[in-house]
């Protein structure tokens, strides 16, 4: 759930006056995104999302995110489009924060993805990877392998509070990931956070992708490994081979994995599980006593990591090799 | 900020299928209302608000609230209208909770009301009071004078944590209110919580009133006293006579106060300030350490109460008598 900055109506009306969007009709804070404050904005020109960037997003990264959404849309990927003001700028300021207005996308998140949703995701992810080609800006992945040990080390002592054996498995996993992380896989722009919350469906079809605020340049297969973790396990956190196969097959129909990607995939899947295990673990430790926002359970990703450690090739994910 | 119940997409689609509202296009939790979970709902039939009633609203009160919104709309008051399902019922169940779909109202809350907004409010409040005539259901005011001491007594010991002298002023005020509270003023349906959050404007005109979940049958002038407290003080919590006069004059243009109401008004204003002081005080004490939702400051209403205690008649609020 987002933190809400209260937006004053007079300030908002003055901000809107810098756009060709007509009159303010309605503006309501919505529970979408965890890094920013988001509002459903209705004007006489239509429906939009207003985003105020809170501290967790670096202002210097905004041109990358906003430019990427425009680039992807020009390549046929449905995602929110920044609306430019009368000066031609996508980025403004409101309530003391960087602010943008983007187009509103219909669609809803699927809470219990079935194989058909995973297949739709695989296709959309491949299209996203292909559509990123030619995007001129660069942003390194700030949450890749090099960031993981510095995230874990200061918090390692408390690992036993979350799960027995957590410290040992993470430290062993980090040793392996740091030693073996592949550096020259095919890559480009990745979403890096394409969880079910960030994929809108209308019926069985994907209607749009949102929340590009972790997007960066990194290995395509790592993005696929993040999706496998986020979409292809059941409620008990057991791997669901039908979902995994649906995702991987659909992806490969548009963008077949190279030999190097196939070989690296189990390691990338362990890396993706480790990345979300660690950020959730740190958020879990830092949640204020009695807070109304319940952090996501890191143990869901410990279970995934334990599974990935039993897998040595794509056959382990159910694929015929 | 509301507490959000997560609504599963499949459950929501099944729920919507009991209505003639077409297909689900979008559903987003919104930060509106503090007693319920509210969602902006977009279907192929239009825009709506979906409300799930959380524990603080008694299910037995829902027919009063929903029936009232229909009654008021039939009398020309713009407020959300419950949408009936194919069985003709306004009230359904979703995610284990009582649930309704109401029409979406354009408009936005004014954060810094000016006298012109207070005048618009006065007119709307008088229209609301007149429109309630003939509504056949009854709901007592659960937060009237009899409820105040039981609210304060168990928490009185901690009053010094909030403000020096709070305990003494509240106890003296409760003695007076309990002794002198008027019982036979003109009354009927009142909103009882018509704060700026619950009044939508488009430009200088009111476009709708929302959140009828404190509505009840009580003295009209008490509702007016609540509005005076909520709208007619400045940022430093000083009384703003221009706003107060604008509210009272506009109200009286449609519904002149009786002699008894005029005489009782300062006492009703002290009562209204006491009611919000006490509920805010109790919420303030009960907020979990480190919670992300900041409760409203009870001291804003202590300041109002102190002012009202200096006023003996409507001249004290700036009105020519």
């Amino acid at each position: 759930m987002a933190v809400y900055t209260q937006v004053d109506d007079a300030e908002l009306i003055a901000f809107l006056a810098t756009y060709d969007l007509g009159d303010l009709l309605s503006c309501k804070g919505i529970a979408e995104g965890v890094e920013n404050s988001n509002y459903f904005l209705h004007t006489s020109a239509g429906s939009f999302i207003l985003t105020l960037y809170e501290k967790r997003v670096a202002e210097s990264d905004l041109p990358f995110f906003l430019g990427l959404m425009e680039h992807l849309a020009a390549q046929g990927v449905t995602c929110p489009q920044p609306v430019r003001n009368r000066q031609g700028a996508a980025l403004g300021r409101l309530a003391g924060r960087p602010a943008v207005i983007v187009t509103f996308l219909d669609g809803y998140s699927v809470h219990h993805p079935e194989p058909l949703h995973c297949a739709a995701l695989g296709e959309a992810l491949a299209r996203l990877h292909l559509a990123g080609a030619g995007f001129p800006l660069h942003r390194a992945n700030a949450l890749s392998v090099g960031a993981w040990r510095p995230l874990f080390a200061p918090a390692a002592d408390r690992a036993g509070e979350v799960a027995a054996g957590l410290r040992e498995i993470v430290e062993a996993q980090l040793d392996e990931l740091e030693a073996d992380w592949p550096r020259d896989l095919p890559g480009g722009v990745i979403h890096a956070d394409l969880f079910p919350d960030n994929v809108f469906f209308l019926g069985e079809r994907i209607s749009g992708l949102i929340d590009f605020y972790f997007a960066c340049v990194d290995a395509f297969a790592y993005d696929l490994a993040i999706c496998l973790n986020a979409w292809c396990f059941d409620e008990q956190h057991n791997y669901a081979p039908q979902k995994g196969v649906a995702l991987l097959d659909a992806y490969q129909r548009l963008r077949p994995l190279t030999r190097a990607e196939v070989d690296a995939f189990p390691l990338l899947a362990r890396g993706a599980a480790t990345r979300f295990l660690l950020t959730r673990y740190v958020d879990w430790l830092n949640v204020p006593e009695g807070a109304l926002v319940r952090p996501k359970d890191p143990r869901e990703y410990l279970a995934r990591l334990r599974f990935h450690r039993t897998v040595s090739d794509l056959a382990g994910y159910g694929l015929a090799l």
Side-chain angles (χ1 to χ4, degrees), chain A residues 131-150:
Chain A
F135 180 59
L137 302 185
H138 189 274
R139 178 176 182 263
N141 187 349
L143 281 171
S144 186
V145 60
W148 299 340
R149 198 179 294 268

Short mmCIF file of all heavy atoms in Angstrom, two decimals, chain A residues 131-150:
data_model
loop_
_atom_site.label_atom_id
_atom_site.label_comp_id
_atom_site.label_asym_id
_atom_site.label_seq_id
_atom_site.Cartn_x
_atom_site.Cartn_y
_atom_site.Cartn_z
N ALA A 131 10.93 -5.01 -27.59
CA ALA A 131 10.55 -3.61 -27.81
C ALA A 131 11.56 -2.63 -27.22
O ALA A 131 11.66 -1.47 -27.63
CB ALA A 131 9.16 -3.34 -27.23
N GLY A 132 12.33 -3.10 -26.22
CA GLY A 132 13.30 -2.20 -25.59
C GLY A 132 14.49 -1.88 -26.47
O GLY A 132 15.25 -0.93 -26.20
N ALA A 133 14.68 -2.67 -27.55
CA ALA A 133 15.84 -2.46 -28.42
C ALA A 133 15.83 -1.03 -28.95
O ALA A 133 14.79 -0.53 -29.36
CB ALA A 133 15.80 -3.46 -29.58
N GLY A 134 16.97 -0.40 -28.91
CA GLY A 134 17.08 0.95 -29.45
C GLY A 134 16.78 2.04 -28.43
O GLY A 134 16.96 3.22 -28.73
N PHE A 135 16.31 1.66 -27.23
CA PHE A 135 16.07 2.71 -26.23
C PHE A 135 17.44 3.22 -25.78
O PHE A 135 18.28 2.45 -25.33
CB PHE A 135 15.28 2.15 -25.04
CG PHE A 135 15.02 3.17 -23.97
CD1 PHE A 135 14.31 4.33 -24.26
CD2 PHE A 135 15.49 2.98 -22.67
CE1 PHE A 135 14.07 5.29 -23.27
CE2 PHE A 135 15.26 3.92 -21.69
CZ PHE A 135 14.55 5.08 -21.99
N PRO A 136 17.68 4.52 -25.91
CA PRO A 136 19.06 5.01 -25.79
C PRO A 136 19.55 5.22 -24.36
O PRO A 136 20.75 5.36 -24.14
CB PRO A 136 19.00 6.36 -26.53
CG PRO A 136 17.59 6.81 -26.39
CD PRO A 136 16.75 5.56 -26.37
N LEU A 137 18.66 5.26 -23.37
CA LEU A 137 19.13 5.56 -22.02
C LEU A 137 19.56 4.29 -21.29
O LEU A 137 19.16 3.18 -21.65
CB LEU A 137 18.02 6.28 -21.23
CG LEU A 137 17.52 7.59 -21.85
CD1 LEU A 137 16.52 8.28 -20.92
CD2 LEU A 137 18.68 8.53 -22.15
N HIS A 138 20.37 4.48 -20.28
CA HIS A 138 20.90 3.34 -19.54
C HIS A 138 20.66 3.53 -18.05
O HIS A 138 20.77 4.63 -17.53
CB HIS A 138 22.41 3.21 -19.78
CG HIS A 138 22.97 1.93 -19.21
ND1 HIS A 138 23.39 1.82 -17.90
CD2 HIS A 138 23.15 0.71 -19.77
CE1 HIS A 138 23.80 0.58 -17.68
NE2 HIS A 138 23.67 -0.12 -18.79
N ARG A 139 20.28 2.46 -17.42
CA ARG A 139 20.19 2.47 -15.96
C ARG A 139 20.65 1.11 -15.48
O ARG A 139 20.09 0.08 -15.89
CB ARG A 139 18.74 2.73 -15.51
CG ARG A 139 18.59 2.72 -14.00
CD ARG A 139 17.16 3.07 -13.54
NE ARG A 139 17.17 3.07 -12.08
CZ ARG A 139 16.79 2.03 -11.31
NH1 ARG A 139 16.30 0.94 -11.87
NH2 ARG A 139 16.88 2.10 -10.00
N ALA A 140 21.67 1.09 -14.65
CA ALA A 140 22.17 -0.18 -14.12
C ALA A 140 21.14 -0.77 -13.16
O ALA A 140 20.32 -0.04 -12.58
CB ALA A 140 23.50 0.03 -13.41
N ASN A 141 21.18 -2.07 -12.99
CA ASN A 141 20.30 -2.72 -12.01
C ASN A 141 20.88 -2.50 -10.62
O ASN A 141 21.88 -3.12 -10.25
CB ASN A 141 20.19 -4.21 -12.34
CG ASN A 141 19.16 -4.90 -11.46
OD1 ASN A 141 18.68 -4.32 -10.49
ND2 ASN A 141 18.84 -6.12 -11.79
N ALA A 142 20.24 -1.65 -9.85
CA ALA A 142 20.75 -1.31 -8.52
C ALA A 142 20.54 -2.44 -7.53
O ALA A 142 21.09 -2.42 -6.43
CB ALA A 142 20.07 -0.04 -8.02
N LEU A 143 19.75 -3.43 -7.91
CA LEU A 143 19.47 -4.56 -7.01
C LEU A 143 19.94 -5.87 -7.64
O LEU A 143 19.28 -6.89 -7.52
CB LEU A 143 17.98 -4.63 -6.68
CG LEU A 143 17.52 -3.64 -5.61
CD1 LEU A 143 16.00 -3.62 -5.50
CD2 LEU A 143 18.13 -4.00 -4.25
N SER A 144 21.11 -5.83 -8.30
CA SER A 144 21.66 -7.06 -8.85
C SER A 144 22.62 -7.69 -7.83
O SER A 144 22.71 -7.23 -6.69
CB SER A 144 22.34 -6.78 -10.19
OG SER A 144 22.75 -8.02 -10.77
N VAL A 145 23.30 -8.73 -8.27
CA VAL A 145 24.07 -9.58 -7.36
C VAL A 145 25.01 -8.81 -6.44
O VAL A 145 25.14 -9.15 -5.26
CB VAL A 145 24.83 -10.67 -8.17
CG1 VAL A 145 25.79 -10.06 -9.18
CG2 VAL A 145 25.51 -11.68 -7.27
N GLY A 146 25.63 -7.74 -6.92
CA GLY A 146 26.57 -6.99 -6.10
C GLY A 146 25.91 -6.29 -4.92
O GLY A 146 26.57 -5.93 -3.94
N ALA A 147 24.60 -6.08 -5.00
CA ALA A 147 23.88 -5.36 -3.94
C ALA A 147 23.39 -6.29 -2.84
O ALA A 147 22.98 -5.81 -1.77
CB ALA A 147 22.69 -4.62 -4.54
N TRP A 148 23.44 -7.59 -3.09
CA TRP A 148 22.73 -8.49 -2.19
C TRP A 148 23.45 -8.68 -0.86
O TRP A 148 22.83 -8.65 0.19
CB TRP A 148 22.45 -9.83 -2.89
CG TRP A 148 21.58 -9.66 -4.10
CD1 TRP A 148 20.74 -8.60 -4.38
CD2 TRP A 148 21.48 -10.54 -5.22
NE1 TRP A 148 20.12 -8.77 -5.59
CE2 TRP A 148 20.54 -9.97 -6.14
CE3 TRP A 148 22.06 -11.76 -5.55
CZ2 TRP A 148 20.21 -10.57 -7.34
CZ3 TRP A 148 21.72 -12.38 -6.75
CH2 TRP A 148 20.79 -11.79 -7.64
N ARG A 149 24.78 -8.90 -0.90
CA ARG A 149 25.48 -9.12 0.37
C ARG A 149 25.45 -7.85 1.24
O ARG A 149 25.17 -7.94 2.45
CB ARG A 149 26.90 -9.62 0.15
CG ARG A 149 27.49 -10.28 1.41
CD ARG A 149 28.89 -10.81 1.22
NE ARG A 149 28.98 -11.91 0.28
CZ ARG A 149 28.91 -13.21 0.63
NH1 ARG A 149 28.73 -13.55 1.88
NH2 ARG A 149 29.03 -14.14 -0.30
N PRO A 150 25.69 -6.68 0.66
CA PRO A 150 25.58 -5.46 1.49
C PRO A 150 24.19 -5.26 2.09
O PRO A 150 24.05 -4.63 3.15
CB PRO A 150 25.91 -4.33 0.50
CG PRO A 150 26.71 -4.98 -0.58
CD PRO A 150 26.21 -6.38 -0.69
#
